[in-house]
Amino acid sequence: MLPCEGPGEVAPGIAPGRSIGILAACDTGAARAGGHDRCAILRRMNPLCILLAAAVLVVGSGPAVPAEPGDTTVATPMQGYLPDPLDGNGRVADDGSIEFAAGGVMLRLTPLDSEARWRWLRDRVGAPTDPFGEKPGAEPMYLTFLVELRNDTANLVLFNSGRIWLSGGSAEILHPLDLAAMHSAYALHDREMPPSYERAGTALLRSDDMIPSGDRREGLLLFTRFRKDVKGFRMDIPMTLGSGDPIEFTAAWLEENRLRKKLEKHERMEAKRARKEARR
């Protein structure tokens, strides 16, 4: 279901932090009862590993804690939320990124905190400043995701970032910013968009993109923060293959305590299933 073959890559701009890959040693028989390894996020929540996990996992949307050599930071879109390995159709990597593959399309989704976003804008598009950054001591204004996409099909793939949405349950549905919408917002007030937004806006994924066979795309998805507190949230990324067939990648994040309870319950259910199988 969600294979764990070792630590995932570290996305550009993600500072190294402490790895959770070593928690593989805490796997139980129940964790393999379904015929697959449990991902590092679930191993972290295993009650047998909870104390060790607390010492080796860094969670947060602020700058990374100084790391030990060879370790990896777990990226998260909002402080206190983690990717849910039991929801969505991607593989959760050790660094918190989520990898998808379907119909010849490969996609990697990595949350970026404010510091990582700024480094990415500086290094990739030469932005002198990050206009999306928050004031010192303030809460981040945006949820940011780095998207790396590759079209391995024989035809075009239609990717429209405007069709992507982030849902916080019944709270609200968010759509990503795009450069055209930013221009329109300033034009409504008879103002020109500042150069800092112009340069940084080129890093945002286009709202309508035809991706040729063999081509790649890399860019940012920026969502305004939810206005209300949410228990969790889910992203849907729809695309259309050249054949006309639709594909959709989905990912979810949940409050850490809620995720812990959900995964512990899942572990108990798998252990019970394993005992039944052993008696047969």
Side-chain angles (χ1 to χ4, degrees), residues 85 97 135 153 222 235 237 268 276:
S97 64
K135 295 180 180 180
T153 73
L222 258 74
M235 185 186 296
I237 307 175
R268 290 195 298 270
K276 287 184 178 179

Side-chain angles (χ1 to χ4, degrees), residues 189-230:
H189 295 85
D190 295 322
R191 296 173 55 190
E192 291 189 4
M193 191 162 70
S196 60
Y197 279 92
E198 190 75 51
R199 175 65 67 86
T202 62
L204 303 180
L205 289 168
R206 290 171 50 186
S207 59
D208 196 357
D209 194 2
M210 300 291 291
I211 305 174
S213 174
D215 268 21
R216 299 169 179 260
R217 293 292 186 270
E218 184 179 60
L220 302 181
L221 293 173
L222 258 74
F223 301 85
T224 57
R225 287 181 63 91
F226 292 105
R227 291 190 296 268
K228 299 179 180 180
D229 292 337
V230 294

Side-chain angles (χ1 to χ4, degrees), residues 3-22 39-41 43-44 56-60 64 70-77 81-83 91-99 107-113 116 145-146 148 253:
C4 293
E5 299 172 351
E9 296 178 49
V10 179
I14 295 289
R18 308 206 60 172
S19 172
I20 58 177
I22 60 172
C39 76
I41 297 294
R43 286 199 298 270
R44 175 188 179 261
V56 299
L57 176 62
V58 171
V59 178
D71 288 342
T72 306
T73 291
V74 174
T76 178
Y81 293 79
L82 290 172
R91 172 190 176 270
V92 179
D94 279 6
D95 65 354
S97 64
I98 304 178
E99 299 162 352
L107 187 145
R108 189 166 184 258
L109 183 69
T110 305
L112 301 182
D113 63 23
F145 300 85
L146 171 64
E148 300 163 275
W253 293 263

Side-chain angles (χ1 to χ4, degrees), residues 168-204:
S170 59
E172 54 188 310
I173 294 177
L174 307 176
H175 292 279
L177 301 180
D178 68 80
L179 191 57
M182 291 165 60
H183 275 292
S184 298
Y186 276 92
L188 285 173
H189 295 85
D190 295 322
R191 296 173 55 190
E192 291 189 4
M193 191 162 70
S196 60
Y197 279 92
E198 190 75 51
R199 175 65 67 86
T202 62
L204 303 180

Side-chain angles (χ1 to χ4, degrees), residues 75-87:
T76 178
M78 282 203 306
Q79 186 174 8
Y81 293 79
L82 290 172
D84 184 350
L86 303 180
D87 195 356

Side-chain angles (χ1 to χ4, degrees), residues 38-63:
R38 189 69 67 244
C39 76
I41 297 294
L42 187 141
R43 286 199 298 270
R44 175 188 179 261
M45 298 301 180
N46 190 311
L48 298 177
C49 305
I50 213 76
L51 295 178
L52 176 61
V56 299
L57 176 62
V58 171
V59 178
S61 59

